[in-house]
Amino acid sequence: MLSLVEALSQVPDPRKARGVRHDVLAVLLLGACAVLSGARSFVAVAEYAHDAGRAVLAALGVGAVVPHESTLRRVLQQVDPSALEAALRSWVLAQLRTRAVPVGTPRREQRRVLALDGKTLRGAHVRALDAGVYLPHLVSVLDQHSGAVLGQVGVSDKGSEVTAFTTLLDEFDLAGVLVTADALHTHRGHAEYLHARGGHYLMTIKANQPRLLARVRALPWTDIGVAARERARGHGRVETRTVSAVSLHPCPDRGGEFFPHAAQAIKLVRRRRPLRPGGRWKTVTVYAITSLTGFDADPGLLARWIRGHWGIENRLHWVRDVTYDEDRSAVRTGSGPQVMAAFRNLAITALRLSGATNIAAALRHHARDTLRPLATYKIT
């Protein structure tokens, strides 16, 4: 199985060979272990390096002299983020290939489901070539079942997220894979792209596709009826969810094709009420469309995958914002913002794969012993 050291050794050194004292692999491993211990900045990475101890430094390939903060900063700001993302993606996929499917899991629930969504780095005010300033936007793809982050790609702003869809997914084998995405990516071109790659889609529908939204809303949902119903209580609220689904073959409204390769339309109604006295019900209706047939996925499973897509906010973006305080990170030069975000994704992925459910507690656990990051990353 591919080790993290072997994966990161594929990242090229951005510096000229003359005068190099610290190998780029050692710097990358220091950054990865420091972030797994809770480091949020280059200064914190340097502090981890100086406190790690000779045994840890030797395992990471660091020589007799510990790299200075300025060295760590300069190298991590110059590293090719695409090469780093490719190396981390190969390591994560290698880890996932070794995970066995739980006994008794129905065949159609074994399908790989990838959630794709973007996040703006609000603290990274990066200078553009025209002397302007922009906030980098990173589009990530997450494996719904494991919570592992499989990769990310940077774009200049949220408006460019649509173009990152194919760029990010080009790196994966999509045969039989379901890709979930929010309404921003509900484009006919994306549906055609996934179909050509042998994959499937499950996308929400909003006002950016007004004709499609109007047609789906106008379907006879009362006659279709509710196919599955759930009730949950927790986090200070009670919530009920109902899901309805209808096959689009034959076309239920006789208006022709709804969307390229669409097989089902879905209506998900969420009603939520706070448990405090006087709390009022709030109802949200979500419409979605998928290329999976009723044989491939029943309404209850589709609803679970839709909720799983929303989970990318809680399982990734929220952790980076709250636990790592990413939106206030002052890392803003060169490829530094994306490199540090990649290390955060790596740490979150490694902890999810190790069974951690509370990422903040797991980071504190690793910070108390400098050998623990080596064990989690399987560095010997």
Side-chain angles (χ1 to χ4, degrees):
M1 183 175 63
L2 182 71
S3 70
L4 183 61
V5 174
E6 292 171 333
L8 290 179
S9 65
Q10 302 302 311
V11 179
D13 194 329
R15 302 164 295 177
K16 295 182 179 179
R18 183 177 180 180
V20 170
R21 176 180 293 181
H22 303 287
D23 189 74
V24 67
L25 175 60
V27 173
L28 293 173
L29 290 172
L30 278 172
C33 290
V35 172
L36 183 54
S37 298
R40 302 178 180 181
S41 64
F42 294 136
V43 172
V45 174
E47 291 171 346
Y48 169 86
H50 282 270
D51 294 341
R54 178 44 48 191
V56 172
L57 295 177
L60 299 181
V62 179
V65 179
V66 179
H68 190 269
E69 184 271 340
S70 61
T71 300
L72 295 169
R73 179 190 300 269
R74 184 171 60 255
V75 174
L76 294 178
Q77 287 176 342
Q78 295 176 359
V79 163
D80 180 5
S82 298
L84 177 60
E85 295 289 354
L88 297 181
R89 178 173 58 252
S90 63
W91 179 80
V92 176
L93 290 174
Q95 305 307 304
L96 292 180
R97 281 193 291 269
T98 64
R99 293 170 66 89
V101 177
V103 177
T105 303
R107 185 174 182 83
R108 57 184 175 182
E109 294 183 21
Q110 298 178 19
R111 183 187 301 274
R112 171 162 287 179
V113 184
L114 304 181
L116 188 144
D117 196 21
K119 180 184 181 299
T120 300
L121 303 182
R122 302 190 183 281
H125 295 72
V126 178
R127 290 195 175 276
L129 296 177
D130 60 0
V133 175
Y134 70 92
L135 300 179
H137 192 77
L138 300 178
V139 184
S140 304
V141 60
L142 177 138
D143 179 73
Q144 280 200 24
H145 297 307
S146 64
V149 185
L150 302 184
Q152 67 181 4
V153 63
V155 294
S156 59
D157 54 65
K158 185 175 178 63
S160 304
E161 184 175 326
V162 174
T163 61
F165 185 91
T166 55
T167 303
L168 186 55
L169 295 178
D170 277 342
E171 306 300 329
F172 300 96
D173 178 7
L174 297 181
V177 173
L178 175 66
V179 176
T180 64
D182 58 24
L184 181 66
H185 296 285
T186 308
H187 284 266
R188 302 178 70 87
H190 291 171
E192 295 285 6
Y193 167 83
L194 291 173
H195 179 75
R197 296 284 311 278
H200 293 277
Y201 62 82
L202 174 57
M203 301 176 178
T204 54
I205 308 169
K206 291 186 179 179
N208 63 323
Q209 292 283 347
R211 294 180 62 184
L212 176 61
L213 178 60
R215 286 187 66 188
V216 172
R217 274 179 174 169
L219 291 175
W221 293 108
T222 301
D223 297 334
I224 294 168
V226 173
R229 189 186 307 271
E230 290 184 350
R231 181 181 176 87
R233 182 187 179 99
H235 303 286
R237 63 178 182 263
V238 60
E239 181 174 337
T240 63
R241 296 182 289 264
T242 60
V243 60
S244 306
V246 59
S247 173
L248 301 181
H249 301 294
C251 183
D253 66 355
R254 300 182 181 180
E257 181 185 63
F258 271 74
F259 202 67
H261 313 290
Q264 293 187 86
I266 305 108
K267 178 182 180 180
L268 182 65
V269 180
R270 295 185 295 165
R271 299 187 70 237
R272 178 183 297 178
R273 178 179 64 82
L275 290 175
R276 66 175 183 271
R280 296 187 176 184
W281 286 100
K282 179 181 180 181
T283 301
V284 177
T285 301
V286 177
Y287 296 96
I289 199 161
T290 181
S291 59
L292 293 173
T293 65
F295 178 80
D296 296 322
D298 59 39
L301 185 56
L302 291 172
R304 190 190 312 170
W305 285 335
I306 293 173
R307 294 197 308 274
H309 178 78
W310 296 332
I312 194 173
E313 292 288 340
N314 298 329
R315 302 173 78 186
L316 179 62
H317 298 166
W318 188 89
V319 173
R320 282 168 44 179
D321 279 342
V322 177
T323 305
Y324 278 110
D325 204 16
E326 185 175 75
D327 275 353
R328 292 198 298 172
S329 172
V331 177
R332 59 187 63 179
T333 304
S335 56
Q338 184 170 348
V339 167
M340 289 300 288
F343 283 150
R344 295 180 196 115
N345 289 343
L346 174 64
I348 293 168
T349 295
L351 292 175
R352 297 284 187 207
L353 295 180
S354 68
T357 55
N358 186 320
I359 301 299
L363 294 181
R364 294 193 298 269
H365 174 78
H366 283 74
R368 292 193 294 269
D369 186 342
T370 54
L371 291 173
R372 286 171 180 166
L374 302 187
T376 299
Y377 284 141
K378 302 175 184 176
I379 300 173
T380 56

